[in-house]
Amino acid sequence: MHHRDSLLKLFAKAVVCSAMLTASLAAQQQSSPAPPSKTQVVLLGTGNPFPDPDRSGPATAIVVNGSAYLIDFGAGVVRRAKAAAFDKGIAALEPTNLTVAFATHLHSDHTVGYPDLIFTPWVMGRKLPLEVYGPKGIKAMTDHVLAAWQADIQERIATETWQASNYRDTYKVNVHEISPGVIYKDANVTVTAFPTKHAFPETFGYRFDTADRSIVISGDTTYSQTTIDACHGCDVLVHEASTLGWLANRPDFQSYAAKYHTSTTQLAELATKAKPRLLVIYHASIVLRPALRPQASSPDQLLKEVLSGYTGEVVVPRDLDVY
C-alpha cells in the first residue's frame, strides 16, 4: 500500500513538472521574436532589347514575407510573373499581387511591359491601384498609357458586371517621380534610389534592405562609384554587362557602350570594390542559342570574362531563376 502511494505521488509530481515545462516553453515561444524574413530575388526577365525567345525583357522581383516588389517591366513581365507563381510556387508573384513597381529608366526594353502590368492584373482582379516609382517622365508615360487604353477601360467598367465594386478605381496608377535617397519603406523593405550613368538625364539603381538581406539592382549604367557605394558588401548585386567578345563584333556600338554600359572588365573591377556576396549578371550581350544572334556571346564566355578579373561568387541567371 505504502509503495503504491509513493508511486502515485511520483506520478503526480511528474505531471506537475511536465505541465510547468510545457507552460515555460509556451511562454518562451510567445516572447521570442518572430523569425527573420526570407527574401528572394526572382529574375523574371534577364534580356535586353533583342527579342530573344529564351530571355524576356528586364524585370526583377524582390519577394519578402509574401509581398512582391518589381523592378522594371520589360516584355513578358506579367506572364513571367505567372510562371514564377505557377511553376516555382511563389504566390506573391501571382499577377494580381503586383501592386508596387520601380523603374530604373524609361528605355522601351525596360518599360514596354508597362501596359501589361497596369491592365492584365486589373482585369484579373487586382484589389488596389498600382504604385509606381521612377525618374522624371514616368508620370507622362503613365498618363499616355492610360489615355491609349481609355476606350478599353470604359468598356470594361461598363460591361464586366462580375468584377468587384471598386473595379472603376483599381486600374489607376499612383505615380511617384523620385530623387536619390530613401523613396519607399514598409514593414518588409526599405528602398533607396541612387543615380546611375545612362543615356537619359535621370536614371536610377535601387538598394533593397530587408530583415535578412540587402540587394542592389543597377539597371542600365556604365561603371559608377554610386553603385559601388550602394552595395558596399551587399548580399546580392544584380548588374548589367557587355562582353568584350560582343563589343569586338559590334564596332558600331562601341562608342555608345563606352558611355552608357558596363563591360565585363569594368564589372569585374566594380564588383571587386563593391564586394557583394553574390554577383548576378543580367541584361547581358548573350544568347543561349548561338544561331539566334551569331554576334552575341555565350553565358560561359560572359562568366569567363568576368572571372578573369574577379574572384567572388558570380552567376549568369536564366529567366525564373531564384536567389
Side-chain angles (χ1 to χ4, degrees):
M1 184 73 174
H2 177 74
H3 180 66
R4 188 182 67 179
D5 289 344
S6 298
L7 287 175
L8 287 171
K9 287 179 181 179
L10 286 172
F11 178 73
K13 187 176 181 180
V15 169
V16 170
C17 289
S18 176
M20 290 175 64
L21 179 60
T22 300
S24 175
L25 289 172
Q28 291 176 26
Q29 289 170 355
Q30 289 173 2
S31 62
S32 64
S37 65
K38 184 177 183 342
T39 302
Q40 296 174 297
V41 182
V42 186
L43 279 296
L44 297 177
T46 60
N48 51 32
F50 178 70
D52 187 337
D54 301 315
R55 300 166 67 232
S56 289
T60 307
I62 309 299
V63 177
V64 194
N65 294 329
S67 295
Y69 307 86
L70 184 64
I71 306 91
D72 287 332
F73 18 90
V77 59
V78 174
R79 280 159 174 74
R80 282 294 199 233
K82 183 65 177 181
F86 192 76
D87 296 334
K88 301 282 185 172
I90 305 174
L93 289 171
E94 185 66 38
T96 52
N97 292 330
L98 300 177
T99 59
V100 182
F102 303 84
T104 60
H105 66 293
L106 301 184
H107 267 148
S108 57
D109 57 316
H110 292 251
T111 58
V112 75
Y114 197 18
D116 194 14
L117 178 62
I118 294 171
F119 295 116
T120 303
W122 171 58
V123 172
M124 293 296 103
R126 186 178 60 220
K127 294 178 174 60
L128 298 168
L130 186 62
E131 301 286 337
V132 174
Y133 298 77
K136 286 182 176 63
I138 189 69
K139 177 68 165 63
M141 177 180 282
T142 305
D143 291 344
H144 283 91
V145 169
L146 293 174
W149 269 267
Q150 194 57 224
D152 173 84
I153 294 167
Q154 292 174 352
E155 184 274 326
R156 288 185 183 278
I157 290 172
T159 64
E160 295 184 358
T161 55
W162 64 87
Q163 299 282 9
S165 58
N166 64 342
Y167 190 51
R168 63 178 57 255
D169 296 316
T170 52
Y171 75 87
K172 295 176 181 177
V173 184
N174 296 322
V175 181
H176 310 265
E177 294 193 336
I178 63 172
S179 300
V182 175
I183 59 162
Y184 181 91
K185 187 179 177 101
D186 65 16
N188 295 318
V189 66
T190 299
V191 184
T192 306
F194 58 91
T196 54
K197 298 179 181 179
H198 197 46
F200 282 91
E202 278 195 359
T203 63
F204 292 101
Y206 295 103
R207 175 178 170 121
F208 289 74
D209 286 287
T210 74
D212 62 319
R213 297 180 94 184
S214 54
I215 301 124
V216 171
I217 298 177
S218 72
D220 288 8
T221 181
T222 189
Y223 180 101
S224 175
Q225 183 65 40
T226 58
T227 308
I228 296 170
D229 295 341
C231 175
H232 192 61
C234 61
D235 291 299
V236 183
L237 173 60
V238 182
H239 204 288
E240 66 126 279
S242 299
T243 66
L244 301 181
W246 156 255
L247 293 171
N249 290 332
R250 284 291 306 273
D252 57 324
F253 189 69
Q254 290 171 8
S255 175
Y256 182 90
K259 289 180 181 178
Y260 302 127
H261 288 288
T262 305
S263 71
T264 48
T265 302
Q266 291 173 317
L267 180 55
E269 180 184 348
L270 182 150
T272 299
K273 294 178 179 178
K275 296 179 170 58
R277 292 187 180 182
L278 175 65
L279 173 62
V280 179
I281 307 174
Y282 83 144
H283 195 282
S285 52
I286 59 173
V287 290
L288 303 180
R289 291 180 276 180
L292 281 172
R293 202 178 195 191
Q295 295 170 315
S297 301
S298 68
D300 286 344
Q301 182 180 352
L302 169 62
L303 194 60
K304 182 178 179 181
E305 288 188 13
V306 173
L307 288 175
S308 69
Y310 179 60
T311 59
E313 186 175 354
V314 188
V315 292
V316 179
R318 296 192 178 203
D319 288 12
L320 299 181
D321 280 353
V322 181
Y323 299 96

